[in-house]
Amino acid sequence: MGNGRLTEDVYTAADARLAEADARVAAKYPGEPPGRQPVHTVYVPASQYKTRLVADWGKRALRVFGEHADHLDLDADIADRVRAKLLTEPIEDLRIDFEDGLGRPGDDEEDAIALAAGRTLAVTGGTPFVGIRFKSFEQATRRRGIRTLDLFLAGLLESGPLPDGFVVTLPKVTAVEQVEVAADVLERLESAYGLPDGALRFEVQIETAQSIVDTDGTVAVPRIIEAARGRCSGLHYGTYDYSAGLGISAEYQSMEHPAADFAKQLMQVSAAGTGVRLSDGSTNKLPVGDAILPAWREHLRLVRRSLERGFYQGWDLHPHQLPTRFAATYAFFREGFPAALGRLRDYADQTGRGVLDEPATAQALANFLVRGLDCGAVDVGELSFSRAELDGYARRTV
C-alpha cells in the first residue's frame, strides 16, 4: 500500500495541461472594469444637438419635477437628491444620434451636421460620458456610418483632445464580421488622427435576432465581444428594433416582454466577467401632457426592475424621464445600503453575524456600494470604509 501522498510530477502535469486554459480565462475574463458606469444614456438627434442642450434638459426636468413630484410620494431625501442631480449633472452619458434619430437627410446635410456636432462638443463638454451613434455597418448604410464618424472626429479634434469617457455606438449588428470591421475602422481612425492605441471604444447594440443567435445556431454575443478585440465597452439592449424583428406587435413591445428578458439574460451570461458592461433599453411612453404621472410611474417601475436584474444602466429619450431615472436609482441604492454596508462590515471583521457571506458575495456587496457612491445615492461620509477599501473588495479576485 502506498503512502497516500502525490508526487511533484502530478502537480506539474496539472499545471502544464491547464496553462493554456489559465491564460485564456485570464485574458477573456478580467472582471469588473475600474471606473464609473453611467446610470443612463440619453439619445438626442444629431440635428438637435447644441451648446446648451444639457443645461436645457436639466431645466426642463427640474421644472416638471417641481410641478408634479408631490404626486410620486418620494422620500424627502430621495427628492432632494434628485433636485440636486438635475441642477448639477442632469445627463451622465450623452449619445449624439446619427442613426434612427437623424434618419437620412442626404450626404451633404449629414456631412455638415457631423462636422458641426464635433465642433460643438469640443467647446461644450458637460457630461462625464459622451459619444455618437453612427449608422450600422450593414451594406446600405456602412459607408455613410464610417464617413459620419470620420467627419465628427475631424470637427471634434481640430479644437481639442478626445474627451474623457468618449464612446461610440454600433447599432443593428446582423453579422459578427461587422464588429470586426468596426474595430478595424476605429484602429485606422486612431492612426489617422494620432490618437493612442485603444482610445476609441464602442458599445454594441443588441437589437437584432442575429446578434443573439448566429446563423449556425451558436450564441452570437460572446463572438461579438471577442470580435471587438478589447474595444467593446458595453452591450446595450434595443427594445423596439429587437422586438419588431421578432414579429412582436407594437402594443406588446416592452423592456419586460419575455423575449426581451431572454435576450438580456444571454447578454448577461455572455458578458459576465469580461469587463463589458450592460445597459437595458428604453420605454417610449413619454411623461408629457396628461400622461406625465402614468408614464412616470411606469418608468419608475421599469428602471427598478432593471436594477433588480443587474442592469444598472438604461436609455432615456426625453428630459421628463430624468427625474424618475434618478429617483428609481437612488431609491434602489438607498434601500439596499444599510444591509449591504452591514454585511460587508461583518465580512471584513469576520464576525459572521446572521449571514455567512462568501468572497464573491463580498465583492458584489462592495460593487453595490461603489455604484451607490458613483451615482450620488450614497455619501462617502455614510460609509465605514474608505473608497480605496471598497475598490479593493470590488476588484478582488475571488
Side-chain angles (χ1 to χ4, degrees):
M1 185 173 180
N3 60 15
R5 299 292 301 275
L6 295 176
T7 56
E8 178 61 27
D9 64 302
V10 176
Y11 297 94
T12 301
D15 286 339
R17 289 183 62 187
L18 291 173
E20 184 177 339
D22 291 342
R24 183 178 69 250
V25 169
K28 291 189 175 183
Y29 300 100
E32 178 71 15
R36 172 184 177 185
Q37 180 179 6
V39 303
H40 67 172
T41 300
V42 165
Y43 281 80
V44 296
S47 57
Q48 298 177 17
Y49 177 57
K50 56 187 178 181
T51 303
R52 290 193 52 79
L53 182 137
V54 174
D56 288 347
W57 271 55
K59 288 180 180 178
R60 292 170 65 185
L62 193 61
R63 182 170 60 248
V64 75
F65 189 63
E67 293 171 352
H68 299 282
D70 290 346
H71 297 285
L72 292 179
D73 298 323
L74 298 177
D75 180 87
D77 176 68
I78 299 296
D80 287 343
R81 288 176 187 271
V82 171
R83 291 187 192 96
K85 182 71 168 179
L86 295 176
L87 280 168
T88 58
E89 194 181 69
I91 297 177
E92 292 192 359
D93 184 19
L94 177 64
R95 203 66 72 248
I96 305 162
D97 188 16
F98 287 86
E99 201 226 0
D100 288 345
L102 181 65
R104 298 190 183 187
D107 284 339
D108 289 345
E109 186 174 350
E110 184 159 340
D111 285 353
I113 293 170
L115 277 168
R119 290 166 179 160
T120 298
L121 177 59
V123 300
T124 302
T127 57
F129 303 88
V130 69
I132 73 168
R133 177 168 71 172
F134 46 87
K135 290 178 172 62
S136 82
F137 273 31
E138 293 182 293
Q139 184 176 8
T141 54
R142 183 182 308 133
R143 286 175 172 263
R144 181 64 261 179
I146 295 171
R147 180 172 175 81
T148 294
L149 179 55
D150 190 2
L151 288 169
F152 178 86
L153 287 173
L156 171 64
L157 297 173
E158 71 184 17
S159 303
L162 194 72
D164 293 336
F166 185 80
V167 63
V168 297
T169 305
L170 176 65
K172 294 181 175 62
V173 171
T174 52
V176 173
E177 291 85 354
Q178 293 167 4
V179 179
E180 295 174 351
V181 173
D184 291 340
V185 168
L186 294 185
E187 184 176 357
R188 294 293 297 273
L189 285 168
E190 287 169 351
S191 177
Y193 287 103
L195 297 171
D197 293 344
L200 297 177
R201 305 192 73 200
F202 62 97
E203 311 153 338
V204 175
Q205 287 197 270
I206 303 299
E207 53 182 345
T208 67
Q210 296 94 330
S211 58
I212 291 293
V213 178
D214 212 340
T215 55
D216 61 359
T218 60
V219 178
V221 189
R223 296 180 59 200
I224 285 172
I225 294 172
E226 186 172 3
R229 302 198 305 276
R231 292 185 184 272
C232 182
S233 61
L235 301 173
H236 286 220
Y237 177 67
T239 306
Y240 299 100
D241 282 292
Y242 185 81
S243 299
L246 298 187
I248 298 167
S249 65
E251 182 180 358
Y252 299 102
Q253 293 172 8
S254 167
M255 294 163 61
E256 57 185 342
H257 192 283
D261 285 339
F262 173 78
K264 287 183 284 189
Q265 286 164 3
L266 284 179
M267 289 166 57
Q268 199 166 33
V269 170
S270 299
T274 65
V276 174
R277 285 170 164 164
L278 302 174
S279 174
D280 209 336
S282 62
T283 174
N284 60 6
K285 296 180 180 178
L286 300 182
V288 295
D290 293 338
I292 287 177
L293 293 179
W296 264 1
R297 292 188 179 101
E298 176 162 300
H299 194 226
L300 283 168
R301 181 178 61 79
L302 290 173
V303 174
R304 177 66 182 236
R305 185 180 191 273
S306 297
L307 291 166
E308 290 176 356
R309 285 156 176 76
F311 282 75
Y312 298 102
Q313 186 175 351
W315 296 6
D316 290 326
L317 309 177
H318 192 278
H320 292 181
Q321 291 180 323
L322 301 183
T324 40
R325 169 68 60 183
F326 297 126
T329 301
Y330 292 163
F332 174 77
F333 285 105
R334 292 301 303 175
E335 290 168 20
F337 167 67
L341 180 63
R343 287 173 64 178
L344 188 62
R345 182 78 274 164
D346 289 346
Y347 178 85
D349 294 341
Q350 300 288 300
T351 59
R353 298 177 189 166
V355 179
L356 181 62
D357 284 317
E358 300 286 344
T361 302
Q363 188 178 37
L365 292 167
N367 271 307
F368 179 92
L369 294 172
V370 166
R371 288 182 183 278
L373 275 174
D374 284 344
C375 75
V378 175
D379 302 322
V380 68
E382 298 179 273
L383 298 170
S384 52
F385 294 91
S386 69
R387 178 58 187 260
E389 288 174 319
L390 281 181
D391 286 338
Y393 281 111
R395 308 287 171 251
R396 188 166 296 173
T397 301
V398 296

